[in-house]
């Protein structure tokens, strides 16, 4: 059986996930990267022939491969482990973004009550916060430099 494969990673090593032919129309399955707010960065696998309906998130696709014997033994264990690790990492990153957005919304919130903050708004607020911190550090450095210069001028007299 000839199948293409997609590479994933598990603890720094490559894990191959076979790209099979669609069980409905025999067209090659391809993988894509989601860019929606709720699943940003998630991999999904689908048949390029849209009407046939073969579509799975990465972990569910790997389970499908195991159930239909495209993956066996250590390959199956490694692929499941890599997919679970990747999903957990993406969920942690999404929770962290939500936490930071919640903090930013609590500090500076001019939105109407009940309207959710978009990802772009949260990213803009975080970027603004980083820039403000950089300016404050520069001001503090300038102040310390002036203090040192004033101290040196006093010692010279």
């Amino acid at each position: 059986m000839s199948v293409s494969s997609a590479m994933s990673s598990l603890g720094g090593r490559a894990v191959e996930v076979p790209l099979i032919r669609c069980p409905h129309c025999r067209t090659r399955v391809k993988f894509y990267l989601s860019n929606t707010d709720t699943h940003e960065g998630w991999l999904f696998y689908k048949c390029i022939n849209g009407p046939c309906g073969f579509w799975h998130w990465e972990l569910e696709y790997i389970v499908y491969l195991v159930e239909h014997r495209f993956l066996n033994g250590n390959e199956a264990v490694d692929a499941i482990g890599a997919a679970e690790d990747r999903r957990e990492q993406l969920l942690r990153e999404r929770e962290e973004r939500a936490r930071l957005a919640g903090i930013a919304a609590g500090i500076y919130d001019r939105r109407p009550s009940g309207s959710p903050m978009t990802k772009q708004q949260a990213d803009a607020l975080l970027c603004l916060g980083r820039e403000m911190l950089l300016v404050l550090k520069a001001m503090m450095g300038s102040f310390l430099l002036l203090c040192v210069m004033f101290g040196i001028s006093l010692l010279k007299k």
Side-chain angles (χ1 to χ4, degrees):
M1 160 182 48
S2 170
V3 294
S4 298
S5 63
M7 299 298 281
S8 191
S9 65
L10 176 65
R13 61 193 164 120
V15 176
E16 287 191 30
V17 178
L19 298 175
I20 62 171
R21 294 203 175 272
C22 174
H24 306 296
C25 67
R26 307 300 300 156
T27 303
R28 177 80 60 203
V29 170
K30 290 191 177 183
F31 68 97
Y32 301 88
L33 191 63
S34 173
N35 62 0
T36 64
D37 283 342
T38 54
H39 296 103
E40 183 178 10
W42 288 36
L43 286 176
F44 63 95
Y45 294 77
K46 70 178 210 129
C47 176
I48 60 172
N49 182 11
C52 89
F54 185 83
W55 187 101
H56 294 284
W57 288 117
E58 179 181 29
L59 187 56
E60 289 78 13
Y61 177 72
I62 291 170
V63 169
Y64 175 90
L65 294 176
V66 171
E67 287 175 351
H68 291 86
R69 306 211 190 290
F70 289 102
L71 280 174
N72 298 309
N74 289 339
E75 292 174 335
V77 172
D78 288 349
I80 290 170
E84 286 176 341
D85 288 349
R86 180 173 168 76
R87 183 174 285 185
E88 288 172 10
Q89 177 65 29
L90 290 168
L91 288 172
R92 279 193 301 273
E93 289 171 3
R94 185 173 70 190
E95 288 170 3
E96 181 65 12
R97 280 194 309 270
R99 185 184 71 77
L100 292 173
I103 290 170
I107 293 171
Y108 185 77
D109 189 0
R110 291 192 177 180
R111 296 172 294 114
S113 179
S115 69
M117 180 180 286
T118 66
K119 180 183 177 309
Q120 290 82 10
Q121 290 171 326
D123 289 343
L125 281 174
L126 291 172
C127 185
L128 178 64
R130 286 187 205 108
E131 290 175 4
M132 289 174 59
L133 186 61
L134 185 64
V135 168
L136 287 172
K137 285 180 180 179
M139 288 174 54
M140 185 61 109
S142 299
F143 178 73
L144 288 173
L145 182 63
L146 284 173
C147 288
V148 168
M149 290 174 63
F150 181 70
I152 290 173
S153 69
L154 285 177
L155 291 173
K156 284 186 177 180
K157 291 183 180 180

